Amino acid sequence: MRNVATGRQFTRRELALDPVELATLLLGAVIEATGPDGTVAVRLVEVEAYRGLDDPASHCYRGKTPRNAVMWGPAGHLYVYFVYGMHFCANVVGTEDGQPGAVLLRAGEVVSGADIARARRPSARGNGELAKGPAILTSVLGIDRAENGVDLTDPASPVRLFTGEPVPDADIRTGPRVGVAMAMDTPWRFWIDGSPAVSTYRRGGKRAGGGPRPIVV
């Protein structure tokens, strides 16, 4: 597979970090996916960190299940889950093997394969909207349940993760995670200031009709 990203592929050791630390590392990184119709690469501009047993908003908070098994390591794998009965979301697994944690990929800027991305996202009103939001990002990359567990550090993988240009600390912003039912004020969402692809913040909690929102991650 041809590497259309500008950096080098991440190693597993580099990604074996606490999710909060991994989240800032992933800003500016490039995720690249190859499907039957070609390759699309996206520069990550917004992410969210989720830990495990100490994070009530995490899928792993209540322990290991067949659904969240990928989140328990090893690092460098892709955890893909289905949400709201219609969307897929993708996460980069971090931490040491056996310790759950991952980073949700919320938004990015398409840096290669724009024609393919536009064909997959015809309703986008500009390049900034091509991968704006976690479900849209996976759609543009062609990621679904079939990619759950793939190794992002393997050159032969259908989805690969590359280093990008470092993002200055002054350009990184942080705030509460979007739409979670628990730990709503935990400031583990990170984004690059000024990027048009950063998604709109939506506070979580209970719906107007009662009942919590689904946990996101």
Side-chain angles (χ1 to χ4, degrees):
M1 295 179 180
R2 184 173 63 88
N3 172 14
V4 301
T6 57
R8 58 171 179 77
Q9 199 162 5
F10 274 104
T11 67
R12 196 174 320 287
R13 178 174 294 182
E14 289 172 321
L15 299 174
L17 301 171
D18 180 275
V20 176
E21 185 178 357
L22 177 59
T24 57
L25 176 69
L26 292 180
L27 288 177
V30 174
I31 185 167
E32 177 185 274
T34 299
D37 54 348
T39 297
V40 175
V42 172
R43 176 180 179 257
L44 298 173
V45 300
E46 182 186 7
V47 296
E48 285 179 343
Y50 290 84
R51 285 180 173 154
L53 302 177
D54 63 345
D55 184 357
S58 172
H59 279 177
C60 291
Y61 182 60
R62 294 179 177 86
K64 191 173 185 178
T65 67
R67 181 197 187 198
N68 68 31
V70 176
M71 273 188 78
W72 295 74
H77 287 261
L78 193 70
Y79 170 49
V80 181
Y81 66 89
F82 199 49
V83 67
Y84 299 120
M86 63 181 73
H87 301 305
F88 291 99
C89 295
N91 306 257
V92 175
V93 175
T95 74
E96 298 295 336
D97 194 11
Q99 299 178 20
V103 175
L104 173 66
L105 309 182
R106 283 204 57 84
E109 299 167 350
V110 174
V111 294
S112 181
D115 290 344
I116 300 170
R118 292 189 192 99
R120 293 174 177 172
R121 174 74 171 147
S123 62
R125 292 175 293 182
N127 291 340
E129 292 192 356
L130 284 174
K132 187 174 186 175
I136 298 170
L137 184 148
T138 55
S139 176
V140 161
L141 288 169
I143 291 173
D144 59 24
R145 199 185 307 277
E147 281 69 51
N148 184 44
V150 300
D151 187 351
L152 299 168
T153 68
D154 181 356
S157 174
V159 188
R160 304 163 297 281
L161 186 64
F162 297 89
T163 60
E165 291 293 327
V167 178
D169 290 344
D171 293 340
I172 296 176
R173 299 290 180 267
T174 184
R177 294 173 291 190
V178 176
V180 294
M182 303 292 289
M184 293 174 290
D185 296 318
T186 302
W188 287 353
R189 179 171 65 102
F190 302 88
W191 66 94
I192 299 176
D193 189 36
S195 171
V198 173
S199 63
T200 302
Y201 173 69
R202 174 177 57 79
R203 182 175 170 80
K206 291 187 176 182
R207 299 176 185 272
R213 297 178 183 274
I215 292 175
V216 180
V217 155

